[in-house]
Amino acid sequence: MATILNIETSTKNCSVSIAKDDELLCLVEEADEGYAHGEKLHQFIDWCAEGASISLKDLDAICVSKGPGSYTGLRIGVSSAKGLAYGLDIKMLSVNSLEVLVQSQINKGYDLIIPMIDARRMEVYTALFDGQGNPITATEAKVIDETSFEDLKGKKIVFVGDGAEKCEEVLAHLDANFVQTYPSAKYMGNLANAKFESNEFEDVAYFEPFYLKNFIALKKKTDK
């Protein structure tokens, strides 16, 4: 019976949960426009442990959402997960952030579930999953326009994530619902427990976030 701490920081949502055999014991999360994950994450972890009435020493593993998503958010989440795994001498697991989004929409009668994490402008991180949450295509960074997903006409589709709403108008030619939301640690329990049972552990020393794209620092404009 595995007790697992789940950390999700790939978007504006700083989210922490504790699950035992994929049963949710406690969830603490907050979406912050300022990406204050560095200030809040460890406090949320402590609150979550208190809410679940366990000590961090009772954990069997830590699972972190590895990306794609916000460079800063992923770096904070993965660094915290690695530090706790080292400090507590427990296993570390990771899951794709898109798969976390998909969990909220499985078995709802859709032919396809298409998660979308905002990557600025009209670009999103995305992939195709069937209605039961099984992956069909690899994760990619995709620019969305009026011709996107034309080959999926006639399918019952749900687009889910913080990139869904901005794509609704240009994808009006599809039979689709658009669910604007963030990945949440609430939906990581089942994924984490499955990986724990199959011994899919990460090498803590060498593990890196799945950024998908290189980080580009933008210079701040100054008044002349």
Side-chain angles (χ1 to χ4, degrees), residues 17-50:
S17 73
I18 293 177
K20 187 171 185 177
D21 290 340
D22 81 20
E23 178 185 351
L24 184 67
L25 300 182
C26 188
L27 172 71
V28 179
E29 62 183 352
E30 182 179 70
D32 189 332
E33 293 292 330
Y35 284 94
H37 301 355
E39 302 170 14
K40 297 179 178 179
L41 181 56
H42 285 282
Q43 184 178 51
F44 284 11
I45 291 170
D46 289 340
W47 286 350
C48 202
E50 182 179 350

PDB file of all heavy atoms in Angstrom, residues 17-50:
ATOM      1  N   SER A  17      -0.899  17.078  -3.562  1.00  0.00           N
ATOM      2  CA  SER A  17      -1.848  16.124  -2.986  1.00  0.00           C
ATOM      3  C   SER A  17      -1.088  14.969  -2.363  1.00  0.00           C
ATOM      4  O   SER A  17       0.082  14.727  -2.672  1.00  0.00           O
ATOM      5  CB  SER A  17      -2.826  15.590  -4.045  1.00  0.00           C
ATOM      6  OG  SER A  17      -2.182  14.678  -4.923  1.00  0.00           O
ATOM      7  N   ILE A  18      -1.774  14.270  -1.493  1.00  0.00           N
ATOM      8  CA  ILE A  18      -1.274  13.005  -0.953  1.00  0.00           C
ATOM      9  C   ILE A  18      -2.346  11.956  -1.198  1.00  0.00           C
ATOM     10  O   ILE A  18      -3.532  12.179  -0.900  1.00  0.00           O
ATOM     11  CB  ILE A  18      -0.941  13.107   0.542  1.00  0.00           C
ATOM     12  CG1 ILE A  18       0.261  14.038   0.763  1.00  0.00           C
ATOM     13  CG2 ILE A  18      -0.639  11.725   1.127  1.00  0.00           C
ATOM     14  CD1 ILE A  18       0.624  14.268   2.214  1.00  0.00           C
ATOM     15  N   ALA A  19      -1.943  10.852  -1.785  1.00  0.00           N
ATOM     16  CA  ALA A  19      -2.872   9.758  -2.073  1.00  0.00           C
ATOM     17  C   ALA A  19      -2.291   8.446  -1.558  1.00  0.00           C
ATOM     18  O   ALA A  19      -1.072   8.242  -1.562  1.00  0.00           O
ATOM     19  CB  ALA A  19      -3.134   9.663  -3.574  1.00  0.00           C
ATOM     20  N   LYS A  20      -3.179   7.572  -1.122  1.00  0.00           N
ATOM     21  CA  LYS A  20      -2.772   6.238  -0.669  1.00  0.00           C
ATOM     22  C   LYS A  20      -3.478   5.215  -1.534  1.00  0.00           C
ATOM     23  O   LYS A  20      -4.711   5.160  -1.556  1.00  0.00           O
ATOM     24  CB  LYS A  20      -3.147   6.036   0.805  1.00  0.00           C
ATOM     25  CG  LYS A  20      -2.601   4.742   1.391  1.00  0.00           C
ATOM     26  CD  LYS A  20      -2.807   4.702   2.902  1.00  0.00           C
ATOM     27  CE  LYS A  20      -2.164   3.462   3.508  1.00  0.00           C
ATOM     28  NZ  LYS A  20      -2.303   3.451   4.984  1.00  0.00           N
ATOM     29  N   ASP A  21      -2.706   4.434  -2.276  1.00  0.00           N
ATOM     30  CA  ASP A  21      -3.275   3.494  -3.241  1.00  0.00           C
ATOM     31  C   ASP A  21      -4.262   4.196  -4.154  1.00  0.00           C
ATOM     32  O   ASP A  21      -5.350   3.715  -4.415  1.00  0.00           O
ATOM     33  CB  ASP A  21      -3.956   2.320  -2.535  1.00  0.00           C
ATOM     34  CG  ASP A  21      -2.936   1.414  -1.865  1.00  0.00           C
ATOM     35  OD1 ASP A  21      -1.762   1.470  -2.256  1.00  0.00           O
ATOM     36  OD2 ASP A  21      -3.313   0.676  -0.951  1.00  0.00           O
ATOM     37  N   ASP A  22      -3.904   5.362  -4.621  1.00  0.00           N
ATOM     38  CA  ASP A  22      -4.624   6.258  -5.529  1.00  0.00           C
ATOM     39  C   ASP A  22      -5.901   6.856  -4.934  1.00  0.00           C
ATOM     40  O   ASP A  22      -6.654   7.541  -5.611  1.00  0.00           O
ATOM     41  CB  ASP A  22      -4.877   5.643  -6.899  1.00  0.00           C
ATOM     42  CG  ASP A  22      -6.056   4.688  -7.012  1.00  0.00           C
ATOM     43  OD1 ASP A  22      -6.963   4.700  -6.178  1.00  0.00           O
ATOM     44  OD2 ASP A  22      -6.064   3.917  -7.987  1.00  0.00           O
ATOM     45  N   GLU A  23      -6.142   6.630  -3.623  1.00  0.00           N
ATOM     46  CA  GLU A  23      -7.259   7.294  -2.931  1.00  0.00           C
ATOM     47  C   GLU A  23      -6.766   8.631  -2.382  1.00  0.00           C
ATOM     48  O   GLU A  23      -5.808   8.690  -1.611  1.00  0.00           O
ATOM     49  CB  GLU A  23      -7.784   6.433  -1.790  1.00  0.00           C
ATOM     50  CG  GLU A  23      -8.923   7.097  -1.013  1.00  0.00           C
ATOM     51  CD  GLU A  23      -9.367   6.291   0.188  1.00  0.00           C
ATOM     52  OE1 GLU A  23      -8.923   5.133   0.333  1.00  0.00           O
ATOM     53  OE2 GLU A  23     -10.148   6.833   0.993  1.00  0.00           O
ATOM     54  N   LEU A  24      -7.421   9.730  -2.791  1.00  0.00           N
ATOM     55  CA  LEU A  24      -7.003  11.062  -2.391  1.00  0.00           C
ATOM     56  C   LEU A  24      -7.222  11.279  -0.896  1.00  0.00           C
ATOM     57  O   LEU A  24      -8.339  11.133  -0.396  1.00  0.00           O
ATOM     58  CB  LEU A  24      -7.780  12.110  -3.194  1.00  0.00           C
ATOM     59  CG  LEU A  24      -7.391  13.573  -2.976  1.00  0.00           C
ATOM     60  CD1 LEU A  24      -5.982  13.845  -3.492  1.00  0.00           C
ATOM     61  CD2 LEU A  24      -8.401  14.489  -3.667  1.00  0.00           C
ATOM     62  N   LEU A  25      -6.149  11.646  -0.180  1.00  0.00           N
ATOM     63  CA  LEU A  25      -6.250  11.934   1.246  1.00  0.00           C
ATOM     64  C   LEU A  25      -6.353  13.421   1.521  1.00  0.00           C
ATOM     65  O   LEU A  25      -7.055  13.845   2.432  1.00  0.00           O
ATOM     66  CB  LEU A  25      -5.031  11.359   1.989  1.00  0.00           C
ATOM     67  CG  LEU A  25      -4.811   9.844   1.906  1.00  0.00           C
ATOM     68  CD1 LEU A  25      -3.583   9.463   2.732  1.00  0.00           C
ATOM     69  CD2 LEU A  25      -6.038   9.079   2.371  1.00  0.00           C
ATOM     70  N   CYS A  26      -5.632  14.219   0.725  1.00  0.00           N
ATOM     71  CA  CYS A  26      -5.680  15.665   0.922  1.00  0.00           C
ATOM     72  C   CYS A  26      -5.179  16.364  -0.339  1.00  0.00           C
ATOM     73  O   CYS A  26      -4.308  15.843  -1.043  1.00  0.00           O
ATOM     74  CB  CYS A  26      -4.820  16.072   2.121  1.00  0.00           C
ATOM     75  SG  CYS A  26      -5.007  17.824   2.592  1.00  0.00           S
ATOM     76  N   LEU A  27      -5.747  17.548  -0.612  1.00  0.00           N
ATOM     77  CA  LEU A  27      -5.341  18.370  -1.752  1.00  0.00           C
ATOM     78  C   LEU A  27      -5.210  19.817  -1.300  1.00  0.00           C
ATOM     79  O   LEU A  27      -6.105  20.345  -0.643  1.00  0.00           O
ATOM     80  CB  LEU A  27      -6.389  18.272  -2.871  1.00  0.00           C
ATOM     81  CG  LEU A  27      -6.219  19.224  -4.059  1.00  0.00           C
ATOM     82  CD1 LEU A  27      -5.013  18.819  -4.906  1.00  0.00           C
ATOM     83  CD2 LEU A  27      -7.490  19.238  -4.916  1.00  0.00           C
ATOM     84  N   VAL A  28      -4.087  20.433  -1.660  1.00  0.00           N
ATOM     85  CA  VAL A  28      -3.882  21.861  -1.406  1.00  0.00           C
ATOM     86  C   VAL A  28      -3.391  22.478  -2.711  1.00  0.00           C
ATOM     87  O   VAL A  28      -2.391  22.029  -3.279  1.00  0.00           O
ATOM     88  CB  VAL A  28      -2.844  22.109  -0.293  1.00  0.00           C
ATOM     89  CG1 VAL A  28      -2.651  23.612  -0.076  1.00  0.00           C
ATOM     90  CG2 VAL A  28      -3.264  21.433   1.003  1.00  0.00           C
ATOM     91  N   GLU A  29      -4.082  23.504  -3.215  1.00  0.00           N
ATOM     92  CA  GLU A  29      -3.664  24.120  -4.467  1.00  0.00           C
ATOM     93  C   GLU A  29      -4.173  25.547  -4.565  1.00  0.00           C
ATOM     94  O   GLU A  29      -5.164  25.916  -3.931  1.00  0.00           O
ATOM     95  CB  GLU A  29      -4.140  23.307  -5.671  1.00  0.00           C
ATOM     96  CG  GLU A  29      -5.639  23.189  -5.813  1.00  0.00           C
ATOM     97  CD  GLU A  29      -6.032  22.304  -7.001  1.00  0.00           C
ATOM     98  OE1 GLU A  29      -5.149  21.915  -7.788  1.00  0.00           O
ATOM     99  OE2 GLU A  29      -7.225  22.006  -7.130  1.00  0.00           O
ATOM    100  N   GLU A  30      -3.480  26.322  -5.391  1.00  0.00           N
ATOM    101  CA  GLU A  30      -3.887  27.693  -5.659  1.00  0.00           C
ATOM    102  C   GLU A  30      -3.288  28.133  -6.987  1.00  0.00           C
ATOM    103  O   GLU A  30      -2.095  27.947  -7.231  1.00  0.00           O
ATOM    104  CB  GLU A  30      -3.409  28.626  -4.549  1.00  0.00           C
ATOM    105  CG  GLU A  30      -3.838  30.074  -4.749  1.00  0.00           C
ATOM    106  CD  GLU A  30      -3.365  30.972  -3.619  1.00  0.00           C
ATOM    107  OE1 GLU A  30      -2.149  31.209  -3.519  1.00  0.00           O
ATOM    108  OE2 GLU A  30      -4.214  31.412  -2.837  1.00  0.00           O
ATOM    109  N   ALA A  31      -4.125  28.710  -7.854  1.00  0.00           N
ATOM    110  CA  ALA A  31      -3.654  29.258  -9.120  1.00  0.00           C
ATOM    111  C   ALA A  31      -3.274  30.716  -8.904  1.00  0.00           C
ATOM    112  O   ALA A  31      -4.087  31.505  -8.437  1.00  0.00           O
ATOM    113  CB  ALA A  31      -4.732  29.136 -10.190  1.00  0.00           C
ATOM    114  N   ASP A  32      -2.049  31.069  -9.248  1.00  0.00           N
ATOM    115  CA  ASP A  32      -1.522  32.408  -8.985  1.00  0.00           C
ATOM    116  C   ASP A  32      -0.938  32.982 -10.266  1.00  0.00           C
ATOM    117  O   ASP A  32      -0.042  32.391 -10.868  1.00  0.00           O
ATOM    118  CB  ASP A  32      -0.436  32.314  -7.908  1.00  0.00           C
ATOM    119  CG  ASP A  32       0.030  33.675  -7.415  1.00  0.00           C
ATOM    120  OD1 ASP A  32      -0.035  34.649  -8.178  1.00  0.00           O
ATOM    121  OD2 ASP A  32       0.471  33.756  -6.256  1.00  0.00           O
ATOM    122  N   GLU A  33      -1.448  34.129 -10.681  1.00  0.00           N
ATOM    123  CA  GLU A  33      -0.953  34.778 -11.898  1.00  0.00           C
ATOM    124  C   GLU A  33       0.531  35.109 -11.800  1.00  0.00           C
ATOM    125  O   GLU A  33       1.221  35.208 -12.807  1.00  0.00           O
ATOM    126  CB  GLU A  33      -1.743  36.063 -12.159  1.00  0.00           C
ATOM    127  CG  GLU A  33      -3.208  35.842 -12.518  1.00  0.00           C
ATOM    128  CD  GLU A  33      -3.381  35.183 -13.866  1.00  0.00           C
ATOM    129  OE1 GLU A  33      -2.536  35.384 -14.752  1.00  0.00           O
ATOM    130  OE2 GLU A  33      -4.378  34.451 -14.041  1.00  0.00           O
ATOM    131  N   GLY A  34       1.030  35.260 -10.580  1.00  0.00           N
ATOM    132  CA  GLY A  34       2.425  35.633 -10.391  1.00  0.00           C
ATOM    133  C   GLY A  34       3.386  34.469 -10.313  1.00  0.00           C
ATOM    134  O   GLY A  34       4.581  34.666 -10.086  1.00  0.00           O
ATOM    135  N   TYR A  35       2.899  33.249 -10.497  1.00  0.00           N
ATOM    136  CA  TYR A  35       3.755  32.063 -10.413  1.00  0.00           C
ATOM    137  C   TYR A  35       4.590  32.072  -9.131  1.00  0.00           C
ATOM    138  O   TYR A  35       5.818  31.943  -9.171  1.00  0.00           O
ATOM    139  CB  TYR A  35       4.689  31.976 -11.626  1.00  0.00           C
ATOM    140  CG  TYR A  35       4.029  31.521 -12.908  1.00  0.00           C
ATOM    141  CD1 TYR A  35       3.550  32.437 -13.825  1.00  0.00           C
ATOM    142  CD2 TYR A  35       3.903  30.164 -13.183  1.00  0.00           C
ATOM    143  CE1 TYR A  35       2.944  32.020 -15.002  1.00  0.00           C
ATOM    144  CE2 TYR A  35       3.305  29.733 -14.358  1.00  0.00           C
ATOM    145  CZ  TYR A  35       2.825  30.662 -15.271  1.00  0.00           C
ATOM    146  OH  TYR A  35       2.232  30.238 -16.438  1.00  0.00           O
ATOM    147  N   ALA A  36       3.934  32.209  -7.988  1.00  0.00           N
ATOM    148  CA  ALA A  36       4.639  32.265  -6.709  1.00  0.00           C
ATOM    149  C   ALA A  36       4.874  30.873  -6.134  1.00  0.00           C
ATOM    150  O   ALA A  36       4.817  30.665  -4.921  1.00  0.00           O
ATOM    151  CB  ALA A  36       3.848  33.128  -5.720  1.00  0.00           C
ATOM    152  N   HIS A  37       5.155  29.926  -6.995  1.00  0.00           N
ATOM    153  CA  HIS A  37       5.326  28.536  -6.552  1.00  0.00           C
ATOM    154  C   HIS A  37       6.479  28.387  -5.562  1.00  0.00           C
ATOM    155  O   HIS A  37       6.399  27.601  -4.615  1.00  0.00           O
ATOM    156  CB  HIS A  37       5.579  27.621  -7.742  1.00  0.00           C
ATOM    157  CG  HIS A  37       4.486  27.613  -8.765  1.00  0.00           C
ATOM    158  ND1 HIS A  37       3.301  28.292  -8.605  1.00  0.00           N
ATOM    159  CD2 HIS A  37       4.394  27.005  -9.971  1.00  0.00           C
ATOM    160  CE1 HIS A  37       2.526  28.100  -9.664  1.00  0.00           C
ATOM    161  NE2 HIS A  37       3.180  27.323 -10.515  1.00  0.00           N
ATOM    162  N   GLY A  38       7.557  29.132  -5.800  1.00  0.00           N
ATOM    163  CA  GLY A  38       8.715  29.025  -4.922  1.00  0.00           C
ATOM    164  C   GLY A  38       8.407  29.419  -3.496  1.00  0.00           C
ATOM    165  O   GLY A  38       8.993  28.888  -2.552  1.00  0.00           O
ATOM    166  N   GLU A  39       7.469  30.352  -3.330  1.00  0.00           N
ATOM    167  CA  GLU A  39       7.096  30.811  -2.000  1.00  0.00           C
ATOM    168  C   GLU A  39       6.076  29.889  -1.338  1.00  0.00           C
ATOM    169  O   GLU A  39       6.040  29.792  -0.118  1.00  0.00           O
ATOM    170  CB  GLU A  39       6.497  32.217  -2.088  1.00  0.00           C
ATOM    171  CG  GLU A  39       7.426  33.252  -2.703  1.00  0.00           C
ATOM    172  CD  GLU A  39       6.705  34.559  -2.991  1.00  0.00           C
ATOM    173  OE1 GLU A  39       5.588  34.735  -2.474  1.00  0.00           O
ATOM    174  OE2 GLU A  39       7.259  35.383  -3.740  1.00  0.00           O
ATOM    175  N   LYS A  40       5.270  29.208  -2.133  1.00  0.00           N
ATOM    176  CA  LYS A  40       4.124  28.485  -1.582  1.00  0.00           C
ATOM    177  C   LYS A  40       4.282  26.966  -1.514  1.00  0.00           C
ATOM    178  O   LYS A  40       3.639  26.307  -0.693  1.00  0.00           O
ATOM    179  CB  LYS A  40       2.881  28.800  -2.420  1.00  0.00           C
ATOM    180  CG  LYS A  40       2.470  30.256  -2.387  1.00  0.00           C
ATOM    181  CD  LYS A  40       1.253  30.528  -3.256  1.00  0.00           C
ATOM    182  CE  LYS A  40       0.833  31.982  -3.178  1.00  0.00           C
ATOM    183  NZ  LYS A  40      -0.338  32.274  -4.038  1.00  0.00           N
ATOM    184  N   LEU A  41       5.116  26.405  -2.372  1.00  0.00           N
ATOM    185  CA  LEU A  41       5.111  24.950  -2.534  1.00  0.00           C
ATOM    186  C   LEU A  41       5.381  24.201  -1.236  1.00  0.00           C
ATOM    187  O   LEU A  41       4.640  23.281  -0.868  1.00  0.00           O
ATOM    188  CB  LEU A  41       6.114  24.534  -3.610  1.00  0.00           C
ATOM    189  CG  LEU A  41       6.180  23.027  -3.896  1.00  0.00           C
ATOM    190  CD1 LEU A  41       4.813  22.468  -4.268  1.00  0.00           C
ATOM    191  CD2 LEU A  41       7.190  22.746  -5.006  1.00  0.00           C
ATOM    192  N   HIS A  42       6.427  24.573  -0.516  1.00  0.00           N
ATOM    193  CA  HIS A  42       6.770  23.817   0.689  1.00  0.00           C
ATOM    194  C   HIS A  42       5.731  24.011   1.793  1.00  0.00           C
ATOM    195  O   HIS A  42       5.465  23.077   2.570  1.00  0.00           O
ATOM    196  CB  HIS A  42       8.174  24.197   1.168  1.00  0.00           C
ATOM    197  CG  HIS A  42       9.256  23.602   0.318  1.00  0.00           C
ATOM    198  ND1 HIS A  42       9.650  22.288   0.427  1.00  0.00           N
ATOM    199  CD2 HIS A  42       9.989  24.140  -0.694  1.00  0.00           C
ATOM    200  CE1 HIS A  42      10.599  22.031  -0.457  1.00  0.00           C
ATOM    201  NE2 HIS A  42      10.814  23.146  -1.167  1.00  0.00           N
ATOM    202  N   GLN A  43       5.128  25.188   1.830  1.00  0.00           N
ATOM    203  CA  GLN A  43       4.037  25.397   2.786  1.00  0.00           C
ATOM    204  C   GLN A  43       2.854  24.511   2.427  1.00  0.00           C
ATOM    205  O   GLN A  43       2.227  23.905   3.310  1.00  0.00           O
ATOM    206  CB  GLN A  43       3.617  26.856   2.784  1.00  0.00           C
ATOM    207  CG  GLN A  43       2.540  27.187   3.815  1.00  0.00           C
ATOM    208  CD  GLN A  43       2.184  28.661   3.806  1.00  0.00           C
ATOM    209  OE1 GLN A  43       1.902  29.236   2.760  1.00  0.00           O
ATOM    210  NE2 GLN A  43       2.195  29.279   4.981  1.00  0.00           N
ATOM    211  N   PHE A  44       2.547  24.407   1.151  1.00  0.00           N
ATOM    212  CA  PHE A  44       1.446  23.552   0.700  1.00  0.00           C
ATOM    213  C   PHE A  44       1.720  22.083   1.023  1.00  0.00           C
ATOM    214  O   PHE A  44       0.807  21.330   1.386  1.00  0.00           O
ATOM    215  CB  PHE A  44       1.232  23.710  -0.809  1.00  0.00           C
ATOM    216  CG  PHE A  44       0.519  24.989  -1.205  1.00  0.00           C
ATOM    217  CD1 PHE A  44       0.309  26.006  -0.300  1.00  0.00           C
ATOM    218  CD2 PHE A  44       0.071  25.162  -2.506  1.00  0.00           C
ATOM    219  CE1 PHE A  44      -0.348  27.185  -0.663  1.00  0.00           C
ATOM    220  CE2 PHE A  44      -0.581  26.330  -2.890  1.00  0.00           C
ATOM    221  CZ  PHE A  44      -0.790  27.346  -1.969  1.00  0.00           C
ATOM    222  N   ILE A  45       2.974  21.672   0.885  1.00  0.00           N
ATOM    223  CA  ILE A  45       3.350  20.290   1.216  1.00  0.00           C
ATOM    224  C   ILE A  45       3.103  20.026   2.699  1.00  0.00           C
ATOM    225  O   ILE A  45       2.542  18.989   3.080  1.00  0.00           O
ATOM    226  CB  ILE A  45       4.817  20.023   0.833  1.00  0.00           C
ATOM    227  CG1 ILE A  45       4.973  20.014  -0.690  1.00  0.00           C
ATOM    228  CG2 ILE A  45       5.292  18.692   1.428  1.00  0.00           C
ATOM    229  CD1 ILE A  45       6.411  19.990  -1.164  1.00  0.00           C
ATOM    230  N   ASP A  46       3.519  20.960   3.553  1.00  0.00           N
ATOM    231  CA  ASP A  46       3.307  20.801   4.997  1.00  0.00           C
ATOM    232  C   ASP A  46       1.812  20.760   5.324  1.00  0.00           C
ATOM    233  O   ASP A  46       1.363  19.929   6.129  1.00  0.00           O
ATOM    234  CB  ASP A  46       3.972  21.941   5.765  1.00  0.00           C
ATOM    235  CG  ASP A  46       5.485  21.850   5.750  1.00  0.00           C
ATOM    236  OD1 ASP A  46       6.010  20.756   5.490  1.00  0.00           O
ATOM    237  OD2 ASP A  46       6.143  22.885   5.988  1.00  0.00           O
ATOM    238  N   TRP A  47       1.032  21.666   4.705  1.00  0.00           N
ATOM    239  CA  TRP A  47      -0.410  21.684   4.944  1.00  0.00           C
ATOM    240  C   TRP A  47      -1.061  20.385   4.485  1.00  0.00           C
ATOM    241  O   TRP A  47      -1.983  19.877   5.124  1.00  0.00           O
ATOM    242  CB  TRP A  47      -1.043  22.863   4.205  1.00  0.00           C
ATOM    243  CG  TRP A  47      -0.766  24.199   4.824  1.00  0.00           C
ATOM    244  CD1 TRP A  47      -0.191  24.438   6.041  1.00  0.00           C
ATOM    245  CD2 TRP A  47      -1.050  25.472   4.249  1.00  0.00           C
ATOM    246  NE1 TRP A  47      -0.092  25.799   6.254  1.00  0.00           N
ATOM    247  CE2 TRP A  47      -0.618  26.457   5.184  1.00  0.00           C
ATOM    248  CE3 TRP A  47      -1.634  25.880   3.051  1.00  0.00           C
ATOM    249  CZ2 TRP A  47      -0.747  27.818   4.938  1.00  0.00           C
ATOM    250  CZ3 TRP A  47      -1.771  27.251   2.803  1.00  0.00           C
ATOM    251  CH2 TRP A  47      -1.333  28.198   3.737  1.00  0.00           C
ATOM    252  N   CYS A  48      -0.589  19.862   3.365  1.00  0.00           N
ATOM    253  CA  CYS A  48      -1.171  18.634   2.821  1.00  0.00           C
ATOM    254  C   CYS A  48      -0.898  17.451   3.748  1.00  0.00           C
ATOM    255  O   CYS A  48      -1.787  16.628   3.998  1.00  0.00           O
ATOM    256  CB  CYS A  48      -0.592  18.375   1.429  1.00  0.00           C
ATOM    257  SG  CYS A  48      -1.610  17.310   0.398  1.00  0.00           S
ATOM    258  N   ALA A  49       0.318  17.364   4.261  1.00  0.00           N
ATOM    259  CA  ALA A  49       0.650  16.299   5.201  1.00  0.00           C
ATOM    260  C   ALA A  49      -0.195  16.404   6.466  1.00  0.00           C
ATOM    261  O   ALA A  49      -0.699  15.408   6.989  1.00  0.00           O
ATOM    262  CB  ALA A  49       2.137  16.343   5.540  1.00  0.00           C
ATOM    263  N   GLU A  50      -0.382  17.644   6.946  1.00  0.00           N
ATOM    264  CA  GLU A  50      -1.214  17.864   8.128  1.00  0.00           C
ATOM    265  C   GLU A  50      -2.659  17.463   7.850  1.00  0.00           C
ATOM    266  O   GLU A  50      -3.309  16.814   8.676  1.00  0.00           O
ATOM    267  CB  GLU A  50      -1.141  19.329   8.533  1.00  0.00           C
ATOM    268  CG  GLU A  50      -1.923  19.669   9.788  1.00  0.00           C
ATOM    269  CD  GLU A  50      -1.804  21.133  10.175  1.00  0.00           C
ATOM    270  OE1 GLU A  50      -0.969  21.846   9.593  1.00  0.00           O
ATOM    271  OE2 GLU A  50      -2.560  21.570  11.071  1.00  0.00           O
TER     272      GLU A  50
END
